[in-house]
Amino acid sequence: MKSSRRRFLLGAGSLLAYPLLGDAPRASPAMSMPEGRMAPQLAEPSKPLVNPATLARFVDALPIPPVARADTHRTHPAYPGRQLPCYRMDMRAFATRLHRDLPPTTLWGYQGSFPGPTLEAMRGEPFLVEWANALPSRHLLPVDHTIHGAEKHQPEVRTITHVHGARVPADSDGWPEDAYPPGRSLLCHYPNAQDAATLWYHDHAMGITRLNIYAGLLGAYLLRDPEERSLGLPAGALELPLILCDRLIARDGQLYYPVSDDPAAPWVSEAYGNATLCNGKLYPYVEVEPRRYRLRLINAANARHFELSLSSRRPFLQIGSDQGLLSAPLERMRVELYPAERADVLVDFAGLDGQSVELRQPGEPILQFRVRNGGRRDAGAPPIPSTLRKVPRIDLANAVRERILTVGEMDDANGNAMMMTLGGHHWSDPITEDPMQDSTEIWSLVNLTGDAHPIHLHLVRFQIIERRPFDLFAWNERKELKYTGPGQPPPPHEAGWKDTVRADPDMVTRIIMRFEGEPGKYVWHCHLLEHEDNEMMRPFKLLPRA
């Protein structure tokens, strides 16, 4: 990220200060906007903001989202003569306290909660979800009508839900332009025909995804299968979904979303908060037994990445990533998650009776685990297998095509980002990525910016081949992809199946995937939500097999 952009994001000084600002900024070339156009600067907050450091820690119990229950059964054309479980998920406004000592905060949530109820699925057992928009007609946060898809002729409040990481038909994937206003609903079909994994659901409306998710429209979706169950992993009360995000909170308890100093164009290039929420609470605690627990870690932040650790140098045992189990358990002292990434980890609290352990990020705690005295122990619990699941590597020779796709931005004369692009194209440009059903492709993501971008592909799971340094000057001058060093294979925690990959600056990030699923239109995009909303999203079309 360029230093001028960093100043743009943090220009409100101490009011927006935060101990986790990421790596030091550095410059890199980017496309420039027409001469004379300048990006707005970050506006001073319109109201006083909460300093989380002044709040008491660990006074609120960690909310555990309830598991959703089917309301009814319905037929679906894909399953003649069969009744499928059907869930109704209302999106509505509600108020709750993010911390004991704060006034109630108005939020938007599925079933009136933040996070929404956890959807649980079993592989091979399809179900339906009716996503109903029962929200107010005016948005909770400032809409930028200059952004594509959020023009003034569009309803100010629109929603459409995407299950992140799910292999679903195109008409149930959450096509951004199909977002609908309050008073309407959409019935979606989830085949659940994939391996067990930690997925999550969230809004995906064109031009306002960043606002709808910031307002609270998100929840966990846990997909299970018999192979995973046979491993004897912690389950029931020993399995905790932990959804992490950051927010700015005004002293009156309301969410504050940062805006530019141009009221007609309030978009900012990244939104960071100084309050880290875990399952919708600031500094919560949870009581645990002196046993092994399974934590489903989900980064649902707009832009922040988390570097997670446990106090007292307690290790994590990572068993899974975005798209399910790793091939083998991996002991890690730190777990890094970029937006939309997930980590499935085990933590053993045995021998810590009466003590506490904190889930932390550099500079502050997030969650306190309070280990009960004399609680139930894991006597007779099966050991964690040394092999969890086979994760065969895709043979590069199977790829029928390699696509070279740039990750770029358009800057003003001072280097402030005004728009982001993929492949040098806008959302509305003709589709350029059109893989064939069941074909294998390699996508090489050429990052021309100074930021790391978490790139997400809908529909498919993929494997990381490598990250490889390249000559940015040669690309900018001649569009020549000239490598300057050897490829860096993924570390073990990234060697499993993924659906979101960190594309680093000055690197070509190469991924390989087989395009399984139903033909139709899907999307791929950066999961920094402010980028996604401002042109860093492109459609792709899956063509039927020949």
Side-chain angles (χ1 to χ4, degrees):
M1 180 180 297
K2 300 178 181 62
S3 57
S4 56
R5 288 182 58 199
R6 180 66 73 183
R7 288 194 301 271
F8 168 75
L9 295 170
L10 300 175
S14 61
L15 286 173
L16 300 187
Y18 189 61
L20 256 183
L21 299 182
D23 297 331
R26 58 170 215 68
S28 69
M31 295 180 287
S32 295
M33 296 295 285
E35 187 175 355
R37 288 195 61 185
M38 301 296 292
Q41 297 300 297
L42 185 67
E44 291 285 341
S46 58
K47 55 177 71 175
L49 301 181
V50 169
N51 178 356
T54 65
L55 297 174
R57 295 177 177 179
F58 315 132
V59 294
D60 291 293
L62 175 75
I64 307 298
V67 175
R69 303 298 178 193
D71 300 277
T72 185
H73 286 72
R74 292 194 191 182
T75 59
H76 189 275
Y79 308 90
R82 185 173 171 184
Q83 295 276 327
L84 299 184
C86 183
Y87 301 77
R88 181 180 172 91
M89 298 285 270
D90 287 345
M91 294 165 265
R92 57 178 182 260
F94 67 102
T96 190
R97 293 182 188 272
L98 302 179
H99 185 277
R100 182 197 66 185
D101 299 331
L102 293 178
T105 301
T106 299
L107 298 168
W108 291 357
Y110 294 93
Q111 298 297 86
S113 65
F114 167 59
T118 298
L119 283 164
E120 290 197 358
M122 179 63 70
R123 188 179 70 195
E125 297 183 8
F127 59 59
L128 307 174
V129 181
E130 182 180 8
W131 305 100
N133 186 343
L135 294 167
S137 59
R138 294 296 303 273
H139 210 289
L140 183 63
L141 301 170
V143 176
D144 188 332
H145 295 295
T146 68
I147 288 180
H148 177 77
E151 297 85 358
K152 288 187 176 180
H153 68 271
Q154 297 281 1
E156 185 169 288
V157 174
R158 295 165 289 114
T159 62
I160 192 161
T161 302
H162 166 60
V163 176
H164 185 114
R167 191 169 73 207
V168 300
D171 60 5
S172 294
D173 187 54
W175 180 255
E177 292 183 325
D178 288 344
Y180 46 92
R184 291 182 52 192
S185 65
L186 181 67
L187 187 67
C188 292
H189 161 223
Y190 299 96
N192 298 317
Q194 58 192 98
D195 291 342
T198 304
L199 312 182
W200 64 299
Y201 62 91
H202 59 78
D203 180 75
H204 215 287
M206 194 76 188
I208 55 172
T209 294
R210 71 197 185 286
L211 305 179
N212 289 351
I213 292 180
Y214 198 92
L217 292 176
L218 56 93
Y221 188 116
L222 304 182
L223 184 56
R224 308 184 186 281
D225 64 23
E227 290 84 353
E228 181 195 68
R229 284 193 168 176
S230 70
L231 299 176
L233 299 173
L238 303 181
E239 181 181 37
L240 302 176
L242 300 180
I243 302 180
L244 306 177
C245 61
D246 58 335
R247 297 290 186 267
L248 292 167
I249 307 167
R251 290 181 190 168
D252 63 5
Q254 301 313 303
L255 291 180
Y256 178 80
Y257 183 86
V259 296
S260 79
D261 59 2
D262 181 356
W267 175 85
V268 295
S269 59
E270 281 135 35
Y272 295 96
N274 60 0
T276 299
L277 305 179
C278 182
N279 289 1
K281 286 289 184 182
L282 181 58
Y283 303 132
Y285 71 88
V286 61
E287 293 189 352
V288 295
E289 305 288 343
R291 306 177 65 184
R292 184 188 296 140
Y293 277 71
R294 183 179 188 181
L295 310 181
R296 308 282 196 129
L297 301 171
I298 301 172
N299 183 348
N302 280 39
R304 182 168 305 287
H305 76 274
F306 294 102
E307 294 183 12
L308 303 174
S309 63
L310 296 169
S311 58
S312 303
R313 295 194 56 78
R314 203 82 182 169
F316 299 102
L317 189 67
Q318 185 167 352
I319 59 171
S321 57
D322 297 348
Q323 281 287 311
L325 294 171
L326 299 172
S327 60
L330 180 65
E331 186 171 298
R332 303 186 68 197
M333 298 307 297
R334 302 178 76 86
V335 171
E336 184 179 54
L337 292 177
Y338 270 71
E341 288 189 307
R342 287 88 69 206
D344 193 349
V345 302
L346 303 180
V347 176
D348 196 346
F349 298 106
L352 297 176
D353 304 52
Q355 301 180 48
S356 64
V357 177
E358 293 176 1
L359 177 68
R360 301 184 60 87
Q361 57 183 330
E364 70 161 359
I366 298 173
L367 168 67
Q368 183 189 63
F369 299 96
R370 296 177 181 174
V371 186
R372 292 190 179 100
N373 249 323
R376 185 178 173 187
R377 288 166 170 75
D378 276 327
I384 300 302
S386 58
T387 299
L388 298 170
R389 172 169 280 171
K390 292 182 178 179
V391 184
R393 300 297 294 176
I394 303 176
D395 189 340
L396 303 189
N398 291 339
V400 298
R401 180 168 184 174
E402 179 168 359
R403 300 180 189 267
I404 309 298
L405 300 163
T406 56
V407 177
E409 65 185 30
M410 297 181 181
D411 291 352
D412 69 10
N414 289 333
N416 295 313
M418 299 181 70
M419 182 182 297
M420 286 73 177
T421 62
L422 294 173
H425 294 289
H426 298 284
W427 164 263
S428 56
D429 290 341
I431 293 175
T432 50
E433 286 70 61
D434 54 354
M436 190 80 69
Q437 187 181 24
D438 294 328
S439 68
T440 299
E441 293 195 357
I442 294 171
W443 287 19
S444 292
L445 306 172
V446 183
N447 190 348
L448 307 178
T449 79
D451 292 332
H453 296 267
I455 302 297
H456 170 51
L457 276 69
H458 287 214
L459 180 67
V460 298
R461 62 181 184 176
F462 55 75
Q463 294 175 350
I464 302 172
I465 301 170
E466 63 181 5
R467 295 180 178 92
R468 191 170 183 184
F470 73 102
D471 187 332
L472 187 58
F473 178 82
W475 179 271
N476 287 333
E477 289 295 310
R478 304 181 297 277
K479 297 298 182 287
E480 175 189 355
L481 186 53
K482 181 180 179 182
Y483 291 113
T484 58
Q488 302 169 10
H493 67 273
E494 287 190 310
W497 292 106
K498 295 277 290 172
D499 57 48
T500 305
V501 63
R502 188 190 75 249
D504 286 339
D506 295 334
M507 289 283 187
V508 177
T509 301
R510 302 177 70 225
I511 59 176
I512 185 169
M513 53 268 176
R514 188 169 186 260
F515 282 88
E516 301 171 315
E518 293 190 16
K521 289 194 300 182
Y522 300 88
V523 303
W524 66 289
H525 58 86
C526 176
H527 225 286
L528 299 178
L529 299 182
E530 286 70 32
H531 295 192
E532 171 187 338
D533 271 350
N534 199 3
E535 298 288 353
M536 209 169 213
M537 177 166 64
R538 286 284 293 156
F540 74 86
K541 187 172 184 178
L542 183 61
L543 303 175
R545 67 177 68 85

